[in-house]
Amino acid sequence: MSKPLISLIVPCWNEEQMVALFLSETSEVIKDVEADFEFIFIDDGSTDNTYTELKMLADSDKRVRVLQLSRNFGSFPAVTAGLSHATGDAVICMAADLQDPPSLIPKLINSWQEG
């Protein structure tokens, strides 16, 4: 049986200081999860260097994809944009500022797999 693909949708607005930390902490949590992952970061019209930071992450990690919105639309439209690009069997939406604890990802996946 093949591993499921989990899409992590991460809207970002002025998160240049957080995106690398988010990817690092989340990667640590998911390293033992029996699933493959894709990270879809959506730059929601940031006015700082969030997009530049995200592109660097994408260059160094093949799991990372980056969308850039033309202006700030808000988190819900950013999530919708991410959903339209997700290819996973399941999707988890998370805030880039780590207000949604990555430690919950394994529990969410277990609950999903249990039905």
Side-chain angles (χ1 to χ4, degrees):
M1 182 182 229
S2 65
K3 293 181 187 179
L5 176 63
I6 309 298
S7 299
L8 296 174
I9 307 294
V10 188
C12 304
W13 185 71
N14 292 343
E15 297 287 355
E16 71 178 304
Q17 300 295 320
M18 291 300 297
V19 292
L21 179 62
F22 174 89
L23 182 61
S24 174
E25 288 197 15
T26 304
S27 294
E28 183 64 27
V29 168
I30 65 174
K31 71 180 181 186
D32 296 323
V33 174
E34 288 296 318
D36 292 322
F37 290 85
E38 68 177 355
F39 291 82
I40 303 174
F41 288 94
I42 304 91
D43 177 25
D44 187 22
S46 295
T47 57
D48 64 0
N49 291 316
T50 297
Y51 182 71
T52 301
E53 293 294 320
L54 291 173
K55 290 302 288 177
M56 288 191 307
L57 293 176
D59 289 343
S60 65
D61 189 328
K62 65 182 174 107
R63 302 172 302 173
V64 174
R65 295 176 25 213
V66 179
L67 305 175
Q68 184 181 36
L69 303 183
S70 60
R71 64 175 178 82
N72 180 257
F73 288 92
S75 62
F76 292 117
V79 167
T80 300
L83 288 170
S84 70
H85 288 82
T87 61
D89 300 300
V91 173
I92 298 172
C93 300
M94 301 186 71
D97 63 4
L98 295 170
Q99 70 177 329
D100 303 319
S103 61
L104 294 178
I105 293 172
K107 293 175 187 175
L108 290 169
I109 293 170
N110 286 339
S111 293
W112 168 64
Q113 290 175 326
E114 291 174 358

